[in-house]
C-alpha cells in the first residue's frame, strides 16, 4: 500500500487494532514509505522560517518518529539535537538514519527534560493527543525549554468542503471514533481535533506567547505557529 516498500492493507489493519506505541512499533520499518511522513517541502519551509529566529544551541524534536525533524534541527542548532518518542521501533529507525543525534524513549506527556533546549519542534504528532491533553503536553515542552526558548510547528489550513481531503479526514476521524468506542486499547489519532483556536488556547494556558507566521515556498499557504516561553 502507498508504494511497493510500504505497509500492506493487512499490516495497517493490525496496526490500527493495536495501542498507539505498539502500532507504531509495527509500522516503523515501513513508515517512511507512507504519506504519513512529513513532506520534505514542509520541512524545508520550516527550516527557512526558523533560521530567521535563531541562532539556537540545542534542539528537541517532540514525538520524533523516524527522525524527519532532524533535517530541520541539524542546520539550525550549533550544539546538539535530541529526539523523543514513545515507540521503540520508531526510535530504532531514527537512530539508524541519524546516528549523530541523541534519542530518548519517553511519553511526550511526561518529558524528562528541564530547561535544556533553545528550540523544540514537532511534526504531524498533535493528532495523537485529545484537546484536553494539550495544555499538559505544552507545559511539559515549556519546562524543557530555557527562558525565551521557542516551540514551533507547521500548521496546514483546514481543507474546504469542496476538497477531497476534507471528506477523507472527516471519514478517517469518524472511523477512528467508532473503532475506539468498540475496541481497546484505543488508538488515538485524529486529524480534526486540533484547530488553530484550540492550539492557541492550549499554548497560552501552558504559559507561551503565540505568533503565527506564514511559511515561505515550497510550503506557501501554510503557517508556522511559534510559541515563546516566558
Amino acid at each position: 500500500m502507498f508504494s511497493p516498500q510500504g505497509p500492506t492493507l493487512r499490516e495497517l489493519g493490525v496496526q490500527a487494532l493495536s495501542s498507539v506505541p505498539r502500532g507504531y512499533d509495527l509500522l516503523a520499518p515501513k513508515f517512511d514509505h507512507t504519506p504519513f511522513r512529513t513532506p520534505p517541502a514542509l520541512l524545508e519551509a520550516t527550516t527557512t522560517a526558523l533560521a530567521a529566529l535563531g541562532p539556537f544551541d540545542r534542539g528537541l524534536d517532540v514525538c520524533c518518529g523516524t527522525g524527519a525533524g532532524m533535517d530541520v534541527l541539524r542546520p539550525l542548532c550549533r550544539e546538539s539535537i535530541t529526539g523523543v518518542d514513545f515507540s521503540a521501533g520508531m526510535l530504532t529507525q531514527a537512530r539508524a538514519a541519524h546516528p549523530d543525534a541523541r534519542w530518548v524513549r519517553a511519553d511526550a506527556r511526561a518529558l524528562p527534560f528541564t530547561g535544556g533546549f533553545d528550540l523544540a519542534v514537532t511534526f504531524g504528532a498533535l493528532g495523537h493527543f485529545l484537546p484536553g491533553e494539550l495544555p499538559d503536553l505544552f507545559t511539559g515542552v515549556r519546562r524543557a525549554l530555557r527562558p525565551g526558548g521557542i516551540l514551533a510547528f507547521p500548521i496546514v489550513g483546514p481543507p474546504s468542503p469542496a476538497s477531497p481531503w476534507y471528506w477523507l479526514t472527516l471519514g478517517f476521524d469518524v472511523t477512528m471514533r467508532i473503532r475506539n468506542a468498540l475496541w481497546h486499547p484505543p488508538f488515538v489519532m485524529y486529524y480534526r481535533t486540533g484547530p488553530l483556536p484550540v492550539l492557541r488556547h492550549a499554548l497560552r494556558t501552558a504559559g507561551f506567547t503565540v505568533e503565527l507566521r506564514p511559511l515561505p515556498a515550497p510550503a506557501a499557504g501554510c503557517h508556522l505557529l511559534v510559541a515563546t516561553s516566558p
Side-chain angles (χ1 to χ4, degrees):
M1 190 167 180
F2 307 124
S3 77
Q5 297 79 32
T8 65
L9 188 59
R10 179 183 180 280
E11 287 171 330
L12 284 177
V14 172
Q15 179 215 2
L17 294 176
S18 305
S19 67
V20 180
R22 176 59 178 158
Y24 276 102
D25 285 349
L26 294 171
L27 183 60
K30 299 183 177 181
F31 181 83
D32 286 345
H33 300 286
T34 74
F36 307 133
R37 192 179 196 272
T38 305
L42 203 56
L43 296 172
E44 179 183 341
T46 299
T47 305
T48 301
L50 286 173
L53 303 177
F56 305 101
D57 289 329
R58 295 171 294 279
L60 175 67
D61 185 3
V62 181
C63 303
C64 62
T66 56
M70 293 298 154
D71 292 335
V72 173
L73 294 179
R74 181 173 288 106
L76 296 174
C77 298
R78 298 178 294 192
E79 292 185 10
S80 65
I81 51 178
T82 300
V84 60
D85 203 281
F86 64 178
S87 165
M90 298 293 267
L91 288 173
T92 295
Q93 300 300 312
R95 189 175 291 110
H98 304 276
D100 59 322
R102 177 190 178 207
W103 303 101
V104 177
R105 186 181 181 191
D107 192 317
R109 292 165 294 191
L111 291 174
F113 310 114
T114 303
F117 297 96
D118 307 280
L119 173 64
V121 296
T122 189
F123 296 95
L126 296 181
H128 291 301
F129 303 95
L130 298 173
E133 296 177 305
L134 291 174
D136 287 341
L137 169 70
F138 293 144
T139 296
V141 177
R142 184 173 61 80
R143 282 196 301 268
L145 293 169
R146 64 165 177 79
I150 289 173
L151 165 64
F153 51 89
I155 297 289
V156 179
S160 160
S163 164
W165 184 245
Y166 176 93
W167 298 104
L168 181 64
T169 56
L170 177 61
F172 181 91
D173 281 13
V174 169
T175 300
M176 292 305 295
R177 289 190 181 279
I178 294 172
R179 177 257 187 247
N180 289 336
L182 299 176
W183 189 271
H184 290 275
F187 191 96
V188 177
M189 176 60 213
Y190 302 112
Y191 282 101
R192 303 163 66 92
T193 54
L196 182 57
V198 170
L199 295 172
R200 283 185 187 273
H201 175 72
L203 286 162
R204 288 169 175 160
T205 299
F208 286 99
T209 57
V210 183
E211 178 185 5
L212 198 64
R213 292 175 169 240
L215 281 175
C222 301
H223 289 79
L224 186 71
L225 197 153
V226 179
T228 304
S229 175

